[in-house]
Amino acid sequence: MTDSAAEALDAPAPHEAKRDARTIAIVGFAHGSSHFSQLLLAPLFPWIKDAFGLSYAELGLLMTAFYVVSGFAQAAAGFVVDRVGALPVLLGAIALFSVAALGMALSVSYPMLLVCSGLAGLANSPFHPVDFSIMNARVAPSRLGKAYAVHGISGNLGWAAAPLFMVGIAGIAGWRAALAGAAVLLALVWLVVWRYRSLLSGGRREPEAPGEAAAKSAAPAGGTFDFLRIPAVWMSFGFFFAAAAVLGGVQSFGPESARQLHEVPLQYVALCLTGYMLSSAAGMLLGGVLAADADRAERIIAWGFGGAAVVALMLGFSSWPGWTVPLLFAVMGFGSGIAGPSRDLLVRRATPPGATGRVYGMVYSGLDVGSALAPAVFGVLMDTGHPALIWAGIALFQGLMIASALNIGRATARRTPAPAA
């Protein structure tokens, strides 16, 4: 048989490509709802503060409760996904988000809000092990880079949509109506996922990417917790902790520190974060194409986050006209976005067979830990009058991400047996 004939036989049928596209779309849709739900309360803080007479510290504790619960529960959620399957866990998580939003709308005290925020954190915890279990099992390896890109972009769009939805309704009908509207919206998301549930369940797709099966066959096997002995898993945890620290710094205090350092006009400050998120989404599109070759994942991450770190240092330690600052945010976001799909491919390479949910649950809990701790650390820097150190910290964490990615690449390469002579 000729090489061209063999390639034709191995090529996925058109209906498989269409099914993969639909699966990717539904997973992305559900993932966007989780990011939307992460911002149920934050855009409503001005209303909630007045309604309950809260301090800023008490408002911040609502978000801390969300991410602490999500971080602890995410590691456990991976085990549940591996045991009962991704689809029932996904449907349960979306339903719990809807219940939590309704509970927030009906809250009559601060403790009730705190409990509902914790419930929302519990709902948030399974999304990464669920999403990646589905994509790794249902999407052809040749399209996983694009799947991861869509997954990342959908999260950014969820973040972008939440303030518009919540503040828009709150401005017209009040904060309780906004949360009730979110509960209804999430119920509709549940119905859509249920409608297309057949796309989200089933066994692993074959074949895997070249060298991937061999790498995984060399991984520790046997016990439920054996994956914890894989160094790349803990390196990946550290990678995502640093990633959350970077995003937490950019989202929480990046625009304000840039305003202080560069005298950015108020009308431009709001554009900083918007530009970062939109450019990050655009970067993920390119990153999805580049990630088609999994062997260059570490290099893509190094270039993407390396460029973003340079821009961060430029923002912290050189002078720029105020109107240029949103553009620098956009460049930084684009570099981070390019690296996004490749970072997910690195985790996939570190995952032994049958442990996808557990590994992704453990690794992505690093995001929640970083999200809970980083804003507090950066807040101290702002309170003590050191806005430039925000950008030094962001660049430092980006450097740690590059080092972690290179170490993960080396660790997974060592697990790949040499080809037979």
Side-chain angles (χ1 to χ4, degrees):
M1 182 182 293
T2 65
D3 290 342
S4 58
E7 291 174 2
L9 288 176
D10 291 338
H15 75 275
E16 291 181 342
K18 192 173 296 184
R19 183 179 62 186
D20 280 359
R22 294 171 70 192
T23 299
I24 292 167
I26 294 300
V27 170
F29 180 68
H31 182 233
S33 75
S34 76
H35 280 238
F36 175 93
S37 301
Q38 290 170 18
L39 295 180
L40 288 174
L41 286 177
L44 302 178
F45 277 173
W47 287 271
I48 294 173
K49 183 178 187 296
D50 292 341
F52 293 99
L54 302 178
S55 67
Y56 287 108
E58 287 170 321
L59 290 173
L61 187 58
L62 293 172
M63 300 309 298
T64 299
F66 179 100
Y67 283 111
V68 167
V69 172
S70 181
F72 279 107
Q74 185 162 180
F79 290 86
V80 178
V81 170
D82 285 339
R83 180 170 293 273
V84 306
L87 179 61
V89 178
L90 175 60
L91 291 169
I94 298 171
L96 187 56
F97 260 139
S98 183
V99 170
L102 185 59
M104 294 171 187
L106 298 174
S107 292
V108 295
S109 66
Y110 176 70
M112 190 172 176
L113 269 180
L114 202 60
V115 168
C116 290
S117 186
L119 282 178
L122 183 62
N124 186 68
S125 64
F127 272 86
H128 281 115
V130 160
D131 294 348
F132 287 101
S133 291
I134 292 172
M135 288 189 294
N136 289 348
R138 300 291 294 165
V139 177
S142 61
R143 284 187 283 272
L144 275 176
K146 296 180 179 66
Y148 294 162
V150 171
H151 185 263
I153 291 168
S154 69
N156 280 19
L157 294 178
W159 274 332
L164 297 176
F165 182 93
M166 304 304 291
V167 173
I169 296 178
I172 297 171
W175 65 274
R176 293 185 188 276
L179 287 164
V184 173
L185 180 64
L186 289 162
L188 294 175
V189 171
W190 189 95
L191 290 173
V192 171
V193 173
W194 173 258
R195 166 66 178 80
Y196 292 100
R197 63 192 181 279
S198 63
L199 295 170
L200 307 180
S201 60
R204 178 171 295 279
R205 295 287 300 271
E206 297 290 348
E208 292 183 320
E212 187 177 324
K216 291 184 177 181
S217 67
T224 300
F225 295 94
D226 280 356
F227 76 97
L228 295 175
R229 294 192 285 120
I230 303 174
V233 170
W234 293 105
M235 295 175 195
S236 299
F237 177 93
F239 180 97
F240 283 97
F241 174 88
V246 169
L247 187 59
V250 172
Q251 286 184 327
S252 56
F253 299 110
E256 176 59 19
S257 64
R259 185 189 69 80
Q260 294 183 20
L261 290 168
H262 305 291
E263 299 181 355
V264 181
L266 287 176
Q267 64 267 31
Y268 292 145
V269 171
L271 296 177
C272 292
L273 197 53
T274 299
Y276 182 93
M277 290 300 178
L278 293 179
S279 293
S280 179
M284 286 177 189
L285 288 174
L286 176 58
V289 175
L290 296 175
D293 182 357
D295 291 335
R296 61 188 179 194
E298 305 97 298
R299 283 171 288 166
I300 295 170
I301 289 171
W303 281 105
F305 286 119
V310 169
V311 175
L313 293 174
M314 291 166 60
L315 281 166
F317 299 97
S318 58
S319 298
W320 295 91
W323 65 269
T324 65
V325 171
L327 298 178
L328 291 172
F329 269 76
V331 173
M332 184 168 53
F334 189 77
S336 298
I338 287 175
S342 291
R343 105 198 149 175
D344 297 326
L345 284 174
L346 275 185
V347 180
R348 185 173 189 253
R349 280 164 49 184
T351 304
T356 300
R358 281 167 279 168
V359 169
Y360 277 95
M362 176 61 69
V363 165
Y364 276 86
S365 66
L367 284 176
D368 294 312
V369 176
S371 296
L373 296 179
V377 174
F378 286 125
V380 170
L381 296 177
M382 291 293 291
D383 286 338
T384 54
H386 297 96
L389 292 183
I390 297 293
W391 298 105
I394 288 172
L396 173 63
F397 281 116
Q398 287 167 329
L400 290 175
M401 292 167 71
I402 295 171
S404 297
L406 295 175
N407 283 329
I408 294 167
R410 284 193 288 267
T412 54
R414 283 196 299 269
R415 292 195 351 242
T416 306

